[in-house]
Amino acid sequence: GTSWTRPAETTVIVRQLQAWMHSDAGKGLSFGVISFYKAQADSIREQLKRQLGAIADDDKKLRVGTVDSFQGMEFDVVFLSMVRTMPQDWKPGGDDRERQARGLFGHLCLYNRLNVSMSRQKKLLVVVGDTGALQNQLAEDFVPGLVDFLQLCQREGVVLPC
């Protein structure tokens, strides 16, 4: 198909969700997991069902889906799975910067969808992805919201290596 997955993000998200949902602080919270890609959302959902069982089927406690399915919804904690990464051998192809950005960032370039995905949390937004993909001029020009969020986390929040 044409949908993308990134197994490393799936593993990190499921591990962190499991820890937080079973913690005393997390018992009363609702959690959402958003991806721009259906295949990634499906992968996360499947792994959560294996790890969490019935909790993974409780839409009030935990919801996993694409950004389109989260329109108008809010959760206490939201994980955003970027999926896109910077290939090690990537080189710009031609002079069309917009085309280069679409090739690298895909749906992340769509401002309205990115806005929805980054505004569904009440208490905490966790973006899971390749920080290296956001540390270049193309990212600054075409996904500035994610670049700004990364810089804010580096200055005032937390950036965890995976």
Side-chain angles (χ1 to χ4, degrees):
T2 58
S3 195
W4 293 56
T5 62
R6 189 158 185 246
E9 288 182 24
T10 299
T11 300
V12 167
I13 290 168
V14 170
R15 185 180 332 133
Q16 194 60 61
L17 267 171
Q18 190 172 15
W20 285 352
M21 289 179 80
H22 287 99
S23 72
D24 287 338
K27 287 190 175 156
L29 299 177
S30 61
F31 295 85
V33 182
I34 301 173
S35 177
F36 289 94
Y37 300 94
K38 184 180 181 314
Q40 180 74 353
D42 290 346
S43 174
I44 293 167
R45 192 179 300 105
E46 289 167 18
Q47 193 167 337
L48 281 169
K49 283 185 180 186
R50 284 194 302 273
Q51 300 289 325
L52 298 175
I55 295 173
D57 291 327
D58 182 357
D59 269 356
K60 290 187 174 102
K61 179 82 173 156
L62 172 64
R63 182 179 179 99
V64 179
T66 62
V67 65
D68 299 325
S69 68
F70 277 78
Q71 188 86 29
M73 300 180 131
E74 284 187 329
F75 295 85
D76 294 314
V77 178
V78 171
F79 286 81
L80 171 59
S81 179
M82 281 181 27
V83 179
R84 294 303 192 119
T85 186
M86 179 66 84
Q88 288 182 342
D89 58 349
W90 185 83
K91 292 181 183 69
D95 293 331
D96 187 345
R97 296 183 77 247
E98 188 172 334
R99 185 175 179 157
Q100 292 170 13
R102 278 194 317 266
L104 271 179
F105 306 118
H107 295 303
L108 299 175
C109 291
L110 301 173
Y111 175 79
N112 290 343
R113 295 175 104 204
L114 187 59
N115 184 47
V116 167
S117 70
M118 294 184 74
S119 62
R120 303 296 95 192
Q121 74 285 346
K122 295 178 194 173
K123 299 179 183 220
L124 177 66
L125 172 63
V126 179
V127 177
V128 181
D130 176 10
T131 59
L134 301 177
Q135 298 176 352
N136 57 67
Q137 191 61 49
L138 206 57
E140 288 180 28
D141 294 343
F142 289 91
V143 288
L146 278 172
V147 171
D148 290 346
F149 184 75
L150 173 60
Q151 291 171 350
L152 177 68
C153 290
Q154 290 170 329
R155 275 192 324 270
E156 298 178 29
V158 176
V159 176
L160 299 173
C162 297

